[in-house]
Amino acid sequence: MAAVRMAVMEIGAQDVIMKVYEIAPRKGMQVIDSLRRMVPVGKDTYSEGRISTQVLEQICNAFTHFKQTLAEYGITEYYALANSAVREAKNCAMVVDQIEVRTGIRVRVLSNSEQRYVRIKGVIARENDFKLPEKGTAMVDIGSGSLQISIYEKKALATTQNIRLGMAKIGEMFSAFSWEYPVVELVLKEMIDNDVQTFEKMFLKDHTIRSLILVGDTLISQIRKVLEHTGDPGITAEDIRNLYSQIRGKSTSEISQMLDMPFEYAAMVLPVMILAQTLLDASQAERIWIPQSDLCDGYAIDYMEKHKLGRITYNFEEDIIASAKTICKRYKGNQAHAEYLEQMAGKFFDLLQKYHGLGERERLLLRLAAILHDCGKFISMSAPGECAYQIIMSTEILGISHMEREMVACIVRYNTMELPNFREFDGKLGNDEYLIVMKLAAILRVCNALDRSHRQKFADMKLTIKDSNIVITTAYPDNITLEKKTLKDKQDFFEEVYGLGFEIKQKKKKQ
């Protein structure tokens, strides 16, 4: 297969960038060009709440220049992304619309979970630059609007949390005041300590962290250049402490000159150094790693994976599943029952392929719903569906979009509640998403009915379709009356969606 060229653009907090990639099945992914324009998007968003017409003009000018470069390369396949600096602006929709009208480039505004996961994907997949350590690792994504901490154990995602502690947001807050340095440092430490200590008490105490991985926007890359060791992205705790001692008490101009970095980045070095030290103290980590990968790299890896242009050994889908299992455990869900439902739902999904016409992504959403279906009982056993919906919508699941999370939450909600018709729905789903929720909720209801006793009686079941019925065959030797009765009570919705009934055959054990 010939090499493929594509490009990814990103609107960040301090700059607008584009990377041009060449992807070949044998050689993997290579960056063949990189362009950057400094544009203070985050300054507008976090000081004024909206993106000004002047900054919008700069974004459009950058994109117009990028398109000229793409034409020179003959590239027609490209993607434009926006992160929290655009997402959190009050006029986000207008900005995205105007960029498309003026430049012809459609911008995809990533949700927080998408943005963080795409960045993580770039770090993990580019194994020529970086390998995830075997021992406990905390990946810290330092964003302009918030902080994402994801903990890995044995190279698998164990838990992730978003903290509203963004460096650009902090920088803008302090730029409005002409405080003396000791006061600024004290207030910064108090802000950061408060949030990190809460995270430490709730999530870090169950894990042993040996390494911290710092990822983020251009600022993190700038700090990496200051601290990097030849051929090794690893940095010791002592390196961080030495840099911190060098910049303490210095003005932004002095930091900019000393570290040879633009003024806009230098203004946020102090908060990042305080954060890094606080995390080192909280986790007792021995090393800090700052890989070269960024959001554009992660999206290019995602493209490469979806188009089967190369072999990626890391199973990213299992990270998404692991996040759901962590939520299930946190809210005291029946983990054996959830795992059983996940497996059973997959069997029904595969059996009904020609009836629902859905793909692997929808199969993943069904698996997530099966794992999370009873987490609402932690709050209320009389209204588990509604409570589960609120839990899911309030919890990050890295790797799925906000709309996909809404769909999972709705599948869980209408596992126990009646699904209203589309006209009476609350409007958070479009027609296509509504139909997917309906099809998957029908499967989940049936699976839940078949494990009403939570004793996994149908673990050995075989499924076939015969004469408009799904024939469920099991060799379970004992009583299955409860499951038969529950299935009969729950199957009407399934029959309405798929036009199929059920027949259960229980093989008798040979004497």
Side-chain angles (χ1 to χ4, degrees), residues 11-16 37-43 54-56 58-59 62:
I11 304 173
Q14 290 102 16
D15 41 31
V16 179
R37 289 278 188 92
M38 292 193 69
V39 182
V41 182
K43 182 177 178 64
Q54 292 82 1
V55 167
L56 173 58
Q58 291 179 56
I59 295 172

Side-chain angles (χ1 to χ4, degrees), residues 210-223:
R210 292 287 179 263
S211 301
L212 292 180
I213 305 173
L214 296 188
V215 296
D217 53 22
T218 310
L219 170 63
I220 304 304
S221 300
Q222 294 280 335
I223 292 175

Side-chain angles (χ1 to χ4, degrees), residues 348 446 449-450 458 461-463 469-476 480-488 491 501-507:
F348 272 98
V446 166
L450 289 172
F458 289 80
M461 72 175 185
K462 306 295 183 188
L463 300 175
N469 276 326
I470 295 177
V471 180
I472 305 171
T473 305
T474 178
Y476 184 74
I480 57 172
T481 302
L482 176 61
E483 282 70 26
K484 283 184 174 180
K485 175 66 169 61
T486 307
L487 178 62
K488 185 177 180 181
Q491 72 183 46
F502 292 93
E503 179 184 350
I504 297 179
K505 291 184 177 180
Q506 188 175 17
K507 290 183 177 180

